[in-house]
Structure formats: C-alpha cells, structure tokens
Amino acid sequence: MRIPLSKPFINEDVRRRVAEVLDSGYLTEGPVTQEFEQTCAGFIGCRHALAVCNCTVGLEMALRVLEVGPGDEVVVPDYTYPATASVVNIVGATVVLVDVDRATTLIDMDALEAAITPQTKVVMPVSLLGAPLDYDRLNALKETYGFFIVEDAACAMGTEFGGKKAGNLADISAFSFYPRKFITTGEGGLVTTPNDAWAEWMDSYKHFGMGRQTTREDTVFDIVGTNYKMSNILAAVGQAQMLMIDELLFRRREQAAHYVERLAGHPRIIIPAIPEQGLHSYQAFCILIEERDRVMREMRAAGVEVQIGSYALHRHSAFRPHAGCRHSGSLEDSDYVFEHALTLPLYHELTEEQQDQVIEMLCRLT
Ligand SMILES: Cc1ncc(COP(=O)(O)O)c(C=O)c1O
C-alpha cells in the first residue's frame, strides 16, 4: 500500500533497549518489565499496573479476581472485538450483549440500564479505538445497581474523561499493546486497578500462583495460577515508547484534528461524537459513511489502506443466543456501525500531504 493504515513506532531507542536486554541474558519477566509497569502507572496516574502477555488474558484475570463465574452476568457492548465477550464465557459466566449508541459507537447507556438484572456482576464498557466513555453515566448506574466496572481499555492508552486517564476510572482496566495500538510491544497487555488486594491476587495469578517470593527455596504457591508474564524483551519496546508518549499522543491528536477540520462539514461523512469531558487518544480515526464497502474497496485499489472498525458480535456463531450468551434489546445500532464504520490511515510518520491525499480520495468517492 502506498499509504498504510498504521505503522508501529520503532526508533533507535527501542532497538538499543532491546539489544541491552538481549545482551544481558535476562530474557524473561524481570527488572525491565517492572520499570515499564512503573512508567505506565506514572503516566496513567493509577495505583497498580501489572504487565501481562495480552489484553485478553488481562480481562480474564480481572473477571477471575472479582470471582465472576457460573450464574453471573456480564454486560458487554455488541460492537467490539470478540475478546471482550469471549473472556466472560471463558470464566463460565453469561455474556449479555447490548446495543451501542450510533452517535458515539460506544455502549448505549439506556440499553445497558435495561439489561441489568440481579445477576449482573460486571459491566465491561469498551473505549473502542481510543474513544472516551462517559463515566458520569457509568458511575451513576454503578451507584444505583452496584456492579463492578471492568473497562476494556485495549485501545485507550492516553484516553481521558473529566481530566482522569483511562486505567484510572474503572475498578479494573485492561490495555493492549497489539501492533495497531500506538504503544505496542508486538503482543502485550497491562491491567490497572486502585485495589491493593485485587492487585496482589492478580500479581500472584500471573506468576503461577506464587506468594511473595523471598528466595527460590522459600517460594510458596498460594493459589492456582498461570503464566501471563511479559518478558523483559517486550517491555523494553514498550518502555522506549512510553517515555515518548506525550509526544506520540500530541502528534496523533494533531493528525486527528486535521481529519476533523477537513471532514466535519461533509454532508455524507459522520464523525462519531465524544462526551464533552472526554479526550480521545485516536488509536484509530473512524468515520461513518454510506456504501462503506465500495469506498473501502476503491481506496484500497488506489493504494490507501483503510479498514472496517470492529465487529457486531451477534452476527457471529460464537455469540448467537446460547446458554452463555443473551442478547438484550435491539442491536440495530451495532449493525449500523458495523456496516458504516471506516478507519483511515493514522501513524506517527503520516504527513499532512498524505492525509490530504486520503481526504481528497475519500471525498471523491463518497
Ligand atoms: C477492543 C479490544 N479488546 C480486546 C482486544 C484484544 O487485545 P489483545 O490482542 O492484546 O489480547 C483488542 C485487540 O485488538 C481490542 O481492540
């Protein structure tokens, strides 16, 4: 493609830090991972940040520490990546799919409220593509109904609501460092929480159930755990990027502002709304258009890589109604967003001239 959709940010500092880890011979999780966790916690402003091998296992671990299991319901927006819902079934609970709001593409708060039952233990909102969730509404519902909020913050490093960063808004949040995210370790994730006891349990769970280690001989295994560690090698990649995150975010927001400035007045292009107190991190820049598939095909044929947004889960066999999956209310806005969302190229080195080429092609074809 002449203009790709995204491109990981890999500079000399990333290469140098990875080489240092390789030279050290300490390749598994260790001091570089801890340094990365501290940098992430400092940026987010959260009390605990645990690096894990991807966001999916981070979400699963979050449900496990909240003791979510058979008989419990977890509300998930229908328009998301399948991992958000899969983890609910993986821990044996029932996933309840609700509609999104087509204006924001995020969970519809009225649909969420209508889906709540005495079995609702957790709500998993998704800050999809880096878009901020309305935590005023979420917290008001949480107060009324008493559920936990586990944010699927896979795309939301740098996203904010009311001056607080994602990762510091929910009971537990899980981030992804998959390569389409602008902070990427190839594969990787991060779980954050303000709760000391949950952090301690998750830290043990991701280390085979180990208790606080003194020496190897003294090691105790307190719980049945698993291995969700992140290696020093991957953490070195993330650490180099996190040290530049303000600059990376500033550039993305500048590029997004250019798309908004040139596309906002277009009569056939809709830019999803964000709440007044929200700040987008633009993991991806998404628009809604008619004839999305034709436009996508023609832009790709002309050398511009564009992509759909996410998935309407209820259309897939795994998430049709079954013992572990319930659909609540209409899912028509999820269908609408699935059929109309288009993501445009966005990466650090993308120039304004390239953006203008994308914009002109899009406007010609729309
Ligand atoms: C919204 C959402 N949730 C979960 C995931 C899964 O993240 P990971 O690949 O790190 O497991 C992704 C990945 O792209 C995602 O976009």
Side-chain angles (χ1 to χ4, degrees), residues 54-56 80-81 83-84 126 128 152 154-155 176 178 181 187-188:
N54 57 61
C55 173
T56 307
T80 184
Y81 198 68
T84 325
V126 185
L128 200 65
D152 179 343
C155 316
S176 173
Y178 179 79
K181 321 306 179 204
E187 295 285 350

Side-chain angles (χ1 to χ4, degrees), residues 197-210:
W198 295 344
E200 191 176 333
W201 188 93
M202 291 192 285
D203 193 41
S204 171
Y205 186 71
K206 62 162 269 200
H207 290 106
F208 307 104
M210 263 180 214

